């Protein structure tokens, strides 16, 4: 099979609007690991199941060991946290955590999911970590939005449902 040009693929994929999450977990030394992720999707409702697609690295190793992760959906003022957890830490960003069911949660997020990994599937250069959701909650604050490789404020203007 012929594959799409990598640059064209990235450009086209960037036109799919997403929110921005920070995955958090504890590594084998019980240190908090965090990573910015927008590949979060819901997979099924019963049981509530989600997945994230993660490239090899520190967070990949931590999830493979702990078999647990939190999904923290960032609010619209979360751009600093997103940059911090994607390898661009800034002096002014100092993340804090609260432990919930033994998992590190970022306070002030618009939604939170505590997840237990049930399957991990290697697909080319990433791994899908499929997980059942043991608890979740949300608030009605506006989310951070990612589109065309840039951050945007809020959810836009509703037109219908
Ligand atoms: C909008 C967006 C969406 C993305 N989506 C995905 C995706 O779906 N899948 C994917 O594989 N990659 C994704 N990435 C890329 C990914 O966020 C980076 O490649 C990331 O640096 C890899 O994380 P790591 O744990 O492997 O590396 P690391 O570089 O070890 O960690 C990432 C950053 O988090 C900081 N950090 C980690 N733990 C802590 C802590 N306890 N306290 C303070 N700081 C900490 C580190 O200092 C580092 O700057 C996305 C990036 C962006 C900007």
């Amino acid at each position: 099979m012929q594959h799409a040009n990598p640059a064209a693929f990235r450009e086209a994929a960037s036109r799919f609007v997403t929110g921005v999450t920070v995955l958090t977990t504890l590594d084998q030394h019980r240190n908090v690991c965090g990573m910015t992720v927008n590949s979060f999707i819901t997979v099924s409702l019963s049981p509530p199941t989600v997945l994230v697609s993660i490239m090899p690295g520190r967070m990949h190793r931590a999830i493979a060991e702990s078999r647990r992760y939190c999904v923290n959906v960032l609010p619209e003022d979360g751009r600093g946290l997103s940059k911090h957890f994607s390898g661009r830490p800034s002096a002014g960003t100092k993340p804090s955590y609260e432990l919930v069911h033994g998992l590190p949660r970022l306070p002030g997020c618009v939604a939170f999911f505590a997840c237990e990994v049930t399957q991990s599937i290697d697909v080319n250069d990433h791994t899908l970590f499929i997980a059942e959701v043991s608890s979740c909650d949300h608030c009605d604050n506006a989310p951070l939005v990612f589109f065309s490789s840039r951050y945007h404020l809020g959810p836009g203007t509703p037109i219908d449902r």
Side-chain angles (χ1 to χ4, degrees), residues 1-103:
M1 176 188 156
Q2 180 189 325
H3 290 114
N5 170 278
F9 176 66
R10 286 185 87 109
E11 280 292 324
S14 79
R15 266 52 177 190
F16 185 62
V17 179
T18 69
V20 183
T21 78
V22 172
L23 289 197
T24 48
T25 194
L26 295 177
D27 70 13
Q28 58 177 340
H29 306 295
R30 298 196 61 76
N31 295 318
V32 176
C33 288
M35 175 180 167
T36 303
V37 160
N38 71 344
S39 58
F40 168 67
I41 60 169
T42 51
V43 174
S44 74
L45 296 177
S46 182
T49 300
V50 299
L51 74 72
V52 290
S53 178
I54 304 298
M55 66 185 175
R58 199 158 76 110
M59 178 54 89
H60 187 290
R61 286 193 296 280
I63 295 176
E65 285 162 9
S66 71
R67 311 294 292 171
R68 305 173 79 196
Y69 58 81
C70 293
V71 180
N72 304 273
V73 180
L74 292 180
E76 79 181 355
D77 65 357
R79 189 159 48 107
L81 284 171
S82 176
K83 290 182 177 178
H84 179 89
F85 286 110
S86 58
R88 290 193 286 162
S90 68
T93 306
K94 296 260 181 297
S96 60
Y97 310 95
E98 34 189 67
L99 275 189
V100 178
H101 307 303
L103 281 168

Side-chain angles (χ1 to χ4, degrees), residues 83-139:
K83 290 182 177 178
H84 179 89
F85 286 110
S86 58
R88 290 193 286 162
S90 68
T93 306
K94 296 260 181 297
S96 60
Y97 310 95
E98 34 189 67
L99 275 189
V100 178
H101 307 303
L103 281 168
R105 172 180 186 160
L106 287 176
C109 287
V110 300
F112 164 81
F113 303 82
C115 306
E116 310 270 341
V117 174
T118 53
Q119 291 181 65
S120 50
I121 303 171
D122 293 333
V123 182
N124 305 322
D125 54 0
H126 279 60
T127 299
L128 306 181
F129 288 106
I130 300 171
E132 293 182 9
V133 176
S134 57
S135 68
C136 63
D137 59 54
H138 73 280
C139 71

